[in-house]
């Protein structure tokens, strides 16, 4: 009964805290940590003992799997050097350096135990990093690097922790550590790929949505448990499985199962990741009480914890800046991947929040280890300190450095172009498959509905007046009203008992499916400014600049010279129609096309990406 009540309160606080954080525009993870800290000192809240096995086996695999599902394998691969240097190099560097700092502060603690603490506090938390990174609106490459680092670094840290615990027991060697790393990495990779293959083959053959979704929910444990059984890295196996499954999922059959998987994993991720932050805060009082009687003395312990926190904060930029720029001294690396602005490295350096894995891992230390409570408190201090200091100051730092996140106009435009290409492919397939026996009205209806979806994507780019809705908006509004009347009629007939429950349920389910699609459509329109306000205008707007713009020849091998001069990365290319200047888009770090307009006043540019021929007027904010 107490367990059920505790879970009920936990979920209720998580939901209330999340809703409050969104309403106040405050970081939900930080708000839940503070709520947990306050709750730990309330007299009616019982002490919460965090079971490390619950976290490392019950919470960590599904959390990492959910994050890996949403991570692009292609982006991960294109940033593998940066991710590897952070998730492996930085973790080993931090483990050893923090370990020696702890040993210097507390010589009474064995060196192996001090290095174990270094392994515990070395990896930034996957949940904390990505939750704050996405809220702040960082450039996509920074978010990809932080996500990739936080997916893999736990595996490195746990291997280091195992080696340190073995050293505490006096049974470790350099060959054993190297062999452990090879087994963890190689075994985790092989088990992850094998699990992904088996699960993919199963889900291709399972048509039942409930069974298919249940198989997806089993996936992290299908990867984790066999890997741990052979002493490989279960964490790495889960990440590999998630990356592969996330890449394969869109091409697998059964769209209903894909929607169900997405919805269920969103719910699981929401509950688990927010519960994790609440649990972190609830540990504070128990951990503080544990060091009251330690022989090292309270003043010395707290001062040591402050120094350890400072070392953790300083060591990350000490590693990140050289790891970012030293590899680019090699000409081939610099040519293929120019150095990013120093602001990027500064943000990555400061995005090192630690989380629940740190707390769970430190509790794995042997119970009879001398001064164990001091090590637990130090881990808690690092978690609380990084979440507070870095979590609260990271958004102002991003604004201070004037680092821009993804440009919403550019994203909306790319989405419309992508939908247009997909629509053209669908219409082409329709023309290939149609026969003379197909009813003309069916073919016309298919073509019309497909083309209307493409037009709706362009409408999202518009900035209609607040009084006038776009055709797609008005369609959704009217159809939702119709669905409400249809549902009311079905419910009225249900109360009369004239139809079987199964028949009524089937009709209501179909109404729900259509309503969910319309709700998603309206949400997209509202989010993109389709209900009024500023945005990219619909094609066909009246603009003298677009009508009179020249059409210069596109260079055979176009590139952004300003990006080449500044060493920044080009995402997409744009060309000025007045002078032919080529610049990078607003999703690129340099924003050189917009800067060219600002310096010259030339109003119209066009995309020179393959397959794109749209033009844009900066002065009138119109697409043509």
């Amino acid at each position: 009964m107490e367990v059920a009540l505790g879970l009920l309160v936990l979920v209720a606080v998580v939901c209330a805290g999340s809703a409050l954080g969104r309403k106040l525009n405050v970081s939900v993870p930080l708000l839940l940590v503070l709520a947990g800290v306050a709750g730990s000192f309330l007299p009616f809240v019982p002490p919460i003992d965090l079971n490390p096995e619950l976290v490392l086996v019950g919470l960590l695999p599904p959390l990492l799997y959910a994050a890996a599902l949403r991570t692009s394998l292609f982006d991960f691969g294109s940033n593998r050097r940066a991710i590897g240097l952070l998730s492996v190099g930085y973790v080993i560097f931090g483990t050893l350096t923090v370990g020696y700092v702890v040993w210097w502060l507390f010589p009474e603690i064995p060196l192996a135990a001090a290095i174990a603490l270094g392994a515990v506090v070395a990896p930034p938390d996957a949940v904390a990093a990505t939750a704050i990174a996405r809220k702040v609106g960082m450039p996509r490459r920074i978010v990809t690097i932080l996500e990739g680092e936080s997916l893999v670094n736990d595996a490195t840290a746990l291997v280091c922790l195992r080696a340190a615990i073995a050293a505490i027991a006096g049974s470790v060697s350099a060959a054993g550590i190297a062999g452990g790393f090879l087994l963890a990495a190689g075994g985790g990779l092989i088990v992850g790929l094998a699990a992904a293959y088996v699960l993919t083959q199963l889900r291709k053959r399972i048509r039942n949505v409930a069974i298919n979704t249940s198989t997806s929910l089993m996936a992290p444990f299908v990867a984790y448990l066999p890997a741990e059984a052979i002493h490989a890295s279960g964490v790495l196996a889960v990440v590999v499985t998630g990356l592969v499954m996330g890449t394969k999922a869109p091409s697998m059959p059964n769209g209903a199962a894909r929607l169900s998987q997405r919805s269920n994993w969103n719910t699981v991720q929401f509950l688990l990741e927010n519960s994790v932050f609440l649990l972190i805060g609830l540990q504070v009082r128990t951990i503080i009480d544990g060091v009251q009687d330690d022989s090292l003395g309270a003043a010395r312990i707290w001062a040591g914890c402050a120094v350890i926190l400072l070392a953790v904060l300083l060591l990350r930029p000490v590693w990140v800046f050289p790891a970012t720029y030293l590899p680019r001294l090699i000409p081939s690396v610099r040519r293929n991947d120019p150095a990013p602005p120093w602001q990027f490295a500064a943000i990555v350096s400061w995005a090192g929040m630690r989380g629940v894995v740190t707390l769970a891992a430190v509790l794995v230390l042997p119970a009879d280890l001398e001064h164990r409570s001091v090590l637990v408190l130090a881990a808690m201090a690092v978690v609380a300190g990084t979440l507070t200091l870095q979590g609260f100051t990271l958004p102002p730092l991003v604004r201070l450095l004037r680092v821009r996140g993804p440009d919403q106009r550019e994203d909306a435009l790319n989405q419309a172009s992508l939908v247009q290409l997909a629509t053209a492919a669908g219409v082409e397939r329709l023309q290939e498959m149609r026969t003379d026996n197909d009813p003309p009205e069916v073919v016309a209806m298919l073509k019309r509905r497909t083309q209307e979806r493409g037009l709706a994507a362009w409408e999202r780019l518009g900035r209609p007046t607040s009084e006038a809705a776009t055709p797609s908006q008005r369609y959704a509004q009217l159809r939702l009203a119709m669905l409400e009347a249809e549902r009311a009629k079905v419910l009225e007939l249900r109360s009369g008992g004239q139809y079987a429950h199964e028949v009524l349920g089937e009709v209501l389910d179909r109404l729900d499916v259509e309503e969910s699609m319309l709700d998603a459509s309206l949400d997209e329109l509202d989010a993109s400014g389709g209900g009024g306000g500023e945005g990219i205008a619909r094609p066909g707007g009246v603009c003298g600049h677009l009508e009179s713009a020249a059409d210069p020849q596109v260079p055979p091998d176009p590139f952004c010279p300003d990006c080449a001069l500044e060493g920044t990365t080009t995402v997409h290319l744009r060309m000025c129609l007045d002078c032919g200047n080529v610049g990078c888009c607003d999703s690129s770090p340099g924003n050189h096309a917009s800067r060219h307009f600002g310096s010259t006043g030339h109003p119209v540019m066009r995309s020179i990406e393959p397959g794109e021929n749209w033009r844009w007027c900066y002065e009138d904010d119109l697409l043509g």
Side-chain angles (χ1 to χ4, degrees):
M1 188 67 177
E2 291 182 359
V3 173
L5 180 61
L7 289 175
L8 177 62
V9 173
L10 184 71
V11 173
V13 172
V14 163
C15 293
S18 299
L20 181 63
R22 287 176 171 82
K23 185 174 182 179
L24 300 178
N25 197 27
V26 176
S27 173
V28 173
L30 299 179
L31 184 63
L32 289 172
V33 169
L34 295 177
V37 172
S40 70
F41 287 95
L42 295 176
F44 55 84
V45 176
I48 305 295
D49 293 324
L50 192 63
N51 187 328
E53 187 172 353
L54 170 66
V55 175
L56 296 178
V57 180
L59 297 182
L60 185 59
L63 277 174
L64 288 175
Y65 183 80
L69 275 178
R70 303 172 69 170
T71 300
S72 167
L73 182 60
F74 305 104
D75 291 343
F76 188 96
S78 62
N79 292 282
R80 59 186 178 275
R81 184 186 65 254
I83 292 172
L85 286 171
L86 287 171
S87 60
V88 179
Y90 168 67
V91 170
I92 296 174
F93 170 72
T95 296
L96 295 175
T97 308
V98 172
Y100 279 100
V101 169
V102 173
W103 192 43
W104 171 68
L105 291 169
F106 304 112
E108 298 87 347
I109 296 177
L111 177 59
I115 291 178
L117 178 64
V120 163
V121 301
D125 181 64
V127 178
T130 55
I132 295 178
R134 293 191 181 279
K135 177 180 174 59
V136 172
M138 296 183 192
R140 285 200 175 96
R141 187 175 187 188
I142 293 181
V143 176
T144 299
I145 291 172
L146 292 177
E147 284 181 339
E149 175 199 6
S150 56
L151 286 174
V152 181
N153 60 9
D154 287 331
T156 308
L158 291 176
V159 172
C160 292
L161 179 61
R162 288 176 185 172
I165 291 176
I168 293 173
S171 57
V172 70
S173 64
I177 294 175
F181 268 103
L182 290 176
L183 176 60
L189 178 63
I190 293 172
V191 172
L193 291 173
Y197 176 79
V198 171
L199 290 167
T200 301
Q201 296 304 313
L202 280 175
R203 295 191 63 202
K204 282 181 178 179
R205 291 163 173 79
I206 297 174
R207 303 299 302 175
N208 183 278
V209 174
I211 299 175
N212 199 306
T213 304
S214 300
T215 305
S216 172
L217 295 175
M218 292 165 49
F221 303 103
V222 170
Y224 184 87
L225 296 176
E228 289 294 315
I230 64 172
H231 303 292
S233 172
V235 169
L236 185 59
V238 170
V239 171
V240 171
T241 302
L243 287 171
V244 175
M245 294 290 288
T247 303
K248 294 282 188 182
S251 60
M252 292 172 64
N254 201 338
R258 292 197 297 270
L259 290 174
S260 176
Q261 171 189 280
R262 191 177 304 121
S263 175
N264 280 280
W265 271 113
N266 285 341
T267 303
V268 169
Q269 186 176 17
F270 167 79
L271 288 175
L272 291 185
E273 71 181 18
N274 288 298
S275 298
V276 157
F277 290 112
L278 186 60
L279 288 172
I280 289 174
L282 290 170
Q283 299 300 299
V284 170
R285 183 177 180 181
T286 302
I287 292 173
I288 291 176
D289 291 342
V291 298
Q292 297 300 321
D293 300 325
D294 195 276
S295 61
L296 293 178
R300 185 182 173 196
I301 290 172
W302 284 105
C305 290
V307 174
I308 294 170
L309 172 61
L310 180 62
V312 169
L313 294 175
L314 292 178
L315 286 174
R316 188 165 173 88
V318 167
W319 176 268
V320 168
F321 276 90
T324 300
Y325 295 106
L326 286 181
R328 290 174 170 87
L329 296 177
I330 302 173
S332 60
V333 174
R334 184 172 63 251
R335 186 166 51 252
N336 295 326
D337 185 16
W342 68 268
Q343 292 91 335
F344 280 36
I347 292 172
V348 172
S349 298
W350 199 241
M353 291 74 71
R354 272 59 173 181
V356 73
V357 175
T358 293
L359 282 183
V362 78
L363 296 177
V364 175
L365 294 176
D368 58 351
L369 180 65
E370 191 176 5
H371 305 297
R372 179 179 182 272
S373 59
V374 176
L375 299 178
V376 175
L377 179 64
M380 179 73 239
V382 170
V383 172
T386 54
L387 280 175
T388 303
L389 292 175
Q390 295 179 326
F392 278 115
T393 58
L394 186 58
L397 177 65
V398 172
R399 289 192 293 268
L400 178 66
L401 296 179
R402 297 181 180 179
V403 174
R404 298 177 57 182
D407 185 82
Q408 292 185 352
R409 300 186 310 173
E410 186 83 14
D411 285 351
L413 187 56
N414 289 334
Q415 181 185 358
S417 298
L418 183 61
V419 172
Q420 184 176 354
L421 293 172
T423 299
V427 173
E428 182 179 352
R429 177 60 61 88
L430 175 64
Q431 297 297 339
E432 294 173 358
M433 295 187 63
R434 64 175 298 184
T435 65
D436 294 337
N437 296 326
D438 291 329
E441 62 273 15
V442 172
V443 175
M445 180 180 65
L446 286 170
K447 187 180 295 186
R448 186 182 70 251
R449 288 188 176 180
T450 303
Q451 291 172 341
E452 284 174 353
R453 190 175 69 246
L455 291 175
W458 287 107
E459 286 173 8
R460 294 190 193 101
L461 308 178
R463 49 168 190 182
T465 62
S466 57
E467 294 81 11
T470 66
S472 295
Q473 276 184 298
R474 191 57 181 157
Y475 170 85
Q477 293 165 356
L478 293 174
R479 185 57 187 146
L480 283 172
M482 293 172 63
L483 287 172
E484 184 179 352
E486 292 173 23
R487 182 176 291 102
K489 185 61 177 181
V490 174
L491 294 176
E492 177 188 335
L493 295 173
R494 183 182 67 175
S495 62
Q498 301 173 14
Y499 296 90
H501 175 75
E502 290 80 3
V503 174
L504 292 164
E506 181 68 24
V507 174
L508 290 172
D509 286 346
R510 293 186 180 187
L511 295 178
D512 288 342
V513 169
E514 186 174 357
E515 182 180 343
S516 67
M517 295 172 65
L518 292 170
D519 284 340
S521 177
L522 282 177
D523 288 344
E524 288 180 3
L525 288 164
D526 292 340
S528 62
E534 293 299 317
I536 299 179
R538 292 194 304 274
V542 178
C543 175
H545 301 106
L546 288 171
E547 292 178 354
S548 61
D551 191 14
Q553 186 71 25
V554 178
D557 294 309
F559 69 98
C560 177
D562 292 319
C563 281
L565 183 64
E566 298 174 8
T568 55
T569 304
T570 300
V571 179
H572 297 296
L573 289 173
R574 311 292 183 234
M575 185 176 73
C576 174
L577 296 188
D578 276 2
C579 64
N581 176 78
V582 176
C584 60
C585 65
D586 286 349
S587 293
S588 306
N591 307 303
H592 292 121
S594 294
R595 287 164 61 180
H596 175 74
F597 162 69
S599 61
T600 64
H602 297 167
V604 181
M605 64 84 172
R606 61 156 291 186
S607 171
I608 54 174
E609 291 296 311
E612 296 183 2
N613 59 5
W614 54 266
R615 299 179 297 165
W616 173 256
C617 177
Y618 286 102
E619 284 195 10
D620 295 326
D621 216 27
L622 281 173
L623 185 75

